[in-house]
Amino acid sequence: MKDIITNRKHKHLNEIERGQISILKAQGMSAYRIAKIMGRAENTIRNELKRGTDTVIVRGYIKKNLYIPQRGQAIYERNRKRVCSKLKIEKSQYKEFINYVEERFFTTKHSIEAIYHTALKNKLFKKENMVCINSLYSYIDKGYMKIKNIDLPCKVSRKPVKHMPPRKHKRLYGNSIEKRQKYINSRKQFGHWEIDTVIGKNTKNQSSLLVLTERKSRMEIIRKLSGKTSSAVMKEMHNLITEYGNDFNKIFLSITSDNGTEFSQLHTLENITGTKVYYAHPYSAFERGSNERNNRIIRYFIKKGTSINNISNEKIQNIEKWINTLPRKILNFNTAYDIFNKELKRKKAAFKTAIS
């Protein structure tokens, strides 16, 4: 009998097991013996026999206590319905919050975590009327919400991170990242940036995007370039110098780029503004992690293979605004825009104090 009964220790009895209990009990076995054969706790069998046993009349006049597996199953199912509480998503007190999450997700494209913490931070709902983040993702997994897993770009595209060992530079235009001050890695000081380009169609005469990410605040600057060339990059960098004026060298203390040819003249900024420029190792995108993370967000709006020529500056600025006003977990659900402006005010105040 041991060979035909599967051990399901620590799980509730099912209909098949109740049938097995009925057969073994009819053979005159004790609860202890049945428990041994089925690999169950003796109390589990005793409780089941008590639950499923009823007085029946046999031969028209003899009363007999008999274990009936159907009775045990029916009582079990009735008890389960009684003790299993309704999901929060089914309760009226959470309906308004669930509807808010769904509406905000489809209108703002923010993450579930960002939407939850925005509602919490702004006290839009009482805490007891909100569903936790894990439950929200669980409801999405089970198909209880309008939001589906396919709507969560990070979830469906997430891959294990593989860090390649740094390779030796094939070419080097300026200072290697190895010469960058170690304290910059901590992200405690404001004003250190990462720079990259995002391309659309990989054909001639195609526009590209110049993207800069401030390491502490994750503030993003996106500018449209006429092409992925050194002259186009430097033209836009000079536009930024004009735009920020005397504050440029206070805001841009350092810039780290990859070793692409479009950044071959970037190191000349050191002579113009005093901004330090460093070049990452080849095939080491993780050395510009913030840059790469924000590039992925840009790809939500501009898919690979899309021509950037036809994308207006207005749309590009809207993408930039969306990224900078997104509440982010890494920023304790503040926005890059808020952190950047707070740091900028602090730096300006410190500068005024120093010269007074």
Side-chain angles (χ1 to χ4, degrees):
M1 183 65 73
K2 287 183 180 179
D3 294 335
I4 64 172
I5 297 178
T6 303
N7 191 324
R8 297 181 67 253
K9 200 172 183 179
H10 306 305
K11 294 186 180 293
H12 289 202
L13 293 169
N14 58 30
E15 290 183 79
I16 295 174
E17 289 175 307
R18 287 186 171 90
Q20 292 165 346
I21 292 171
S22 176
I23 294 170
L24 296 173
K25 182 63 178 174
Q27 293 175 4
M29 293 187 186
S30 66
Y32 173 81
R33 181 62 179 154
I34 295 171
K36 284 292 183 182
I37 291 174
M38 297 185 65
R40 290 288 194 163
E42 183 181 353
N43 278 343
T44 299
I45 303 302
R46 288 188 185 281
N47 292 336
E48 177 57 29
L49 288 171
K50 183 178 179 180
R51 181 187 299 117
T53 297
D54 197 10
T55 303
V56 298
I57 298 175
V58 296
R59 299 177 188 173
Y61 60 92
I62 300 176
K63 291 183 178 180
K64 186 176 181 180
N65 290 332
L66 187 67
Y67 172 73
I68 306 171
Q70 292 84 353
R71 173 183 169 85
Q73 184 69 24
I75 293 174
Y76 164 77
E77 290 176 357
R78 184 183 67 200
N79 291 342
R80 287 294 293 169
K81 287 181 180 179
R82 187 180 300 160
V83 300
C84 290
S85 60
K86 291 172 68 176
L87 292 171
K88 286 184 177 181
I89 198 170
E90 298 173 339
K91 297 180 180 180
S92 57
Q93 73 185 89
Y94 302 104
K95 287 287 185 184
E96 188 178 353
F97 176 69
I98 295 292
N99 291 338
Y100 166 81
V101 171
E102 291 175 334
E103 188 272 332
R104 290 289 294 172
F105 178 83
F106 288 112
T107 56
T108 66
K109 304 295 183 184
H110 288 179
S111 69
I112 300 299
E113 285 183 310
I115 293 169
Y116 174 89
H117 283 280
T118 298
L120 191 66
K121 184 178 179 180
N122 296 325
K123 299 180 179 179
L124 301 180
F125 301 90
K126 293 181 179 178
K127 187 69 182 289
E128 57 268 26
N129 292 335
M130 296 174 66
V131 179
C132 74
I133 294 168
N134 286 341
S135 292
L136 288 171
Y137 279 116
S138 175
Y139 297 158
I140 292 170
D141 275 337
K142 293 173 182 176
Y144 296 155
M145 295 179 66
K146 294 177 184 177
I147 305 166
K148 307 302 177 188
N149 277 325
I150 196 65
D151 298 322
L152 305 172
C154 281
K155 190 166 187 179
V156 298
S157 65
R158 190 172 291 137
K159 297 178 182 177
V161 177
K162 295 182 180 179
H163 290 332
M164 297 283 290
R167 300 189 187 184
K168 190 176 180 180
H169 283 289
K170 293 181 181 178
R171 57 175 177 267
L172 187 64
Y173 301 115
N175 290 322
S176 167
I177 193 172
E178 295 170 5
K179 295 183 178 180
R180 194 174 73 177
Q181 296 296 319
K182 300 299 182 185
Y183 66 82
I184 297 177
N185 295 335
S186 69
R187 299 177 186 270
K188 291 182 179 179
Q189 186 181 40
F190 170 76
H192 300 285
W193 296 73
E194 298 168 6
I195 192 170
D196 196 12
T197 51
V198 173
I199 62 172
K201 279 189 176 181
N202 193 14
T203 57
K204 289 183 178 180
N205 303 318
Q206 281 292 321
S207 298
S208 61
L209 299 178
L210 180 70
V211 291
L212 293 102
T213 310
E214 201 280 316
R215 286 174 56 82
K216 182 175 184 178
S217 66
R218 273 68 172 187
M219 182 73 170
E220 186 86 340
I221 295 174
I222 308 176
R223 296 291 186 270
K224 187 175 180 179
L225 301 177
S226 57
K228 191 184 176 183
T229 64
S230 174
S231 58
V233 168
M234 291 310 296
K235 179 181 178 181
E236 196 53 49
M237 290 306 300
H238 283 288
N239 288 341
L240 286 173
I241 292 171
T242 302
E243 183 179 330
Y244 284 95
N246 294 331
D247 292 328
F248 185 90
N249 60 351
K250 303 183 192 71
I251 298 170
F252 294 84
L253 300 179
S254 78
I255 301 176
T256 302
S257 81
D258 63 26
N259 231 7
T261 56
E262 69 271 29
F263 298 121
S264 61
Q265 297 302 312
L266 191 64
H267 64 91
T268 61
L269 288 178
E270 295 188 358
N271 299 325
I272 302 170
T273 65
T275 301
K276 293 292 183 182
V277 176
Y278 302 99
Y279 290 89
H281 294 100
Y283 310 101
S284 303
F286 61 89
E287 293 179 338
R288 297 175 298 99
S290 298
N291 223 189
E292 292 295 322
R293 179 66 184 90
N294 279 4
N295 287 352
R296 287 178 60 193
I297 299 177
I298 293 172
R299 289 299 187 192
Y300 296 170
F301 302 95
I302 303 175
K303 304 298 182 184
K304 286 186 177 180
T306 302
S307 174
I308 295 177
N309 288 0
N310 301 325
I311 297 176
S312 67
N313 285 322
E314 182 181 5
K315 180 175 180 179
I316 291 169
Q317 293 310 301
N318 286 337
I319 295 171
E320 179 185 285
K321 182 179 179 181
W322 190 93
I323 294 172
N324 291 332
T325 56
L326 171 68
R328 298 175 71 166
K329 183 177 182 179
I330 201 166
L331 301 176
N332 197 24
F333 292 97
N334 291 300
T335 69
Y337 182 81
D338 291 337
I339 301 293
F340 182 86
N341 282 314
K342 188 182 294 184
E343 290 291 337
L344 194 57
K345 288 178 182 177
R346 185 180 299 166
K347 186 171 280 286
K348 288 183 176 180
F351 181 74
K352 286 181 181 178
T353 303
I355 63 174
S356 60

